[in-house]
Amino acid sequence: TQLLEQSPQFLSIQEGENLTVYCNSSSVFSSLQWYRQEPGEGPVLLVTVVTGGEVKKLKRLTFQFGDARKDSSLHITAAQTGDTGLYLCAGSRQGGSEKLVFGKGTKLTVNP
Amino acid sequence: NAGVMQNPRHLVRRRGQEARLRCSPMKGHSHVYWYRQLPEEGLKFMVYLQKENIIDESGMPKERFSAEFPKEGPSILRIQQVVRGDSAAYFCASSPPGHLLKTYEQYFGPGTRLTVT
């Protein structure tokens, strides 16, 4: 069973549209990170959320950590073709070691 | 400010050979992690090391795989007698010492793509 479930698995939208991707778990996490991965490259850290209910903004990207620290969402406003990529959420479990648990990712394609 | 460096980027080995993957963490980082990414799978934790110490190897296969992070030089992930199922992308990540805020942020290298023929 996957500890972190991401949805949707695939998302194809037109440039200018808004979208939200989700990362859910039944476990509590000390923190959650969102990464973006391009083909043939390593994951690039976008943001870390630590406090339940926390909202962080990075230009057109808005990240939210659930109140119970079990889930998170990423919202992109006015998507651009450069947003295309694999979005991964990862977390360190509360009471666990520093290793990260990853979801399988949401593959986003933004069409011109 | 160089990021996490991994080499080689691509490695081809025949079944039964040894594979050595190297990782140099970001400057100032003393924690190194190795992850494996299989096609259509998420990244899976393998091992967490600090200088000269293995902290958590709960994700490492019991046989053929080993890792080290010596006092000097890069971290090495070694796979002996490789099999086709070892073909994957192997990523190294690093983090700074003393997680004061408990954020556990990790910064990833570009990965080594291992192909076993």
Side-chain angles (χ1 to χ4, degrees):
Chain A
T1 56
Q2 192 76 16
L3 196 59
L4 278 171
E5 297 285 347
Q6 288 192 245
S7 61
Q9 193 175 350
F10 299 96
L11 186 57
S12 180
I13 61 170
Q14 294 300 122
E15 200 168 22
E17 292 183 357
N18 301 333
L19 67 114
T20 303
V21 298
Y22 300 92
C23 176
N24 295 300
S25 177
S26 57
S27 298
V28 177
F29 288 86
S30 300
S31 66
L32 268 178
Q33 284 86 41
W34 284 91
Y35 292 84
R36 188 173 121 193
Q37 187 178 21
E38 306 274 0
E41 298 295 330
V44 175
L45 180 65
L46 297 174
V47 79
T48 298
V49 285
V50 179
T51 307
E54 183 176 6
V55 177
K56 280 192 173 178
K57 294 198 174 189
L58 185 67
K59 296 183 180 177
R60 294 175 293 101
L61 278 60
T62 302
F63 304 85
Q64 186 161 9
F65 200 12
D67 290 340
R69 291 185 289 140
K70 292 182 179 181
D71 53 81
S72 181
S73 63
L74 158 60
H75 181 81
I76 301 179
T77 303
Q80 300 176 355
T81 55
D83 295 326
T84 293
L86 179 67
Y87 289 82
L88 297 164
C89 70
S92 53
R93 292 179 67 185
Q94 183 161 314
S97 75
E98 298 183 18
K99 64 186 179 189
L100 290 178
V101 174
F102 277 83
K104 287 189 177 182
T106 292
K107 191 167 184 181
L108 172 65
T109 302
V110 182
N111 302 299
Chain B
N1 188 15
V4 178
M5 299 174 67
Q6 289 188 250
N7 68 81
R9 292 291 305 272
H10 300 273
L11 183 61
V12 180
R13 285 287 179 264
R14 290 202 174 100
R15 277 181 299 169
Q17 291 184 319
E18 179 178 285
R20 281 195 182 202
L21 288 61
R22 294 175 188 77
C23 168
S24 296
M26 285 179 71
K27 188 175 181 181
H29 287 192
S30 57
H31 299 202
V32 165
Y33 313 79
W34 286 93
Y35 294 83
R36 177 164 63 176
Q37 188 174 39
L38 292 165
E40 309 307 316
E41 295 283 330
L43 282 96
K44 302 289 186 189
F45 167 80
M46 299 181 74
V47 63
Y48 162 36
L49 310 103
Q50 296 177 18
K51 287 282 187 182
E52 300 184 282
N53 280 305
I54 297 175
I55 308 301
D56 181 352
E57 57 180 347
S58 58
M60 286 276 271
K62 294 284 185 276
E63 296 177 351
R64 301 187 299 108
F65 286 71
S66 62
E68 62 177 9
F69 189 16
K71 190 176 180 181
E72 301 291 337
S75 175
I76 307 283
L77 179 67
R78 185 182 293 110
I79 311 172
Q80 296 177 301
Q81 298 175 311
V82 296
V83 300
R84 288 217 172 107
D86 296 332
S87 294
Y90 291 83
F91 292 96
C92 168
S94 72
S95 64
H99 296 274
L100 298 176
L101 297 178
K102 299 295 183 186
T103 60
Y104 301 115
E105 290 183 348
Q106 295 177 18
Y107 298 84
F108 282 78
T112 294
R113 271 94 189 144
L114 173 65
T115 302
V116 179
T117 61

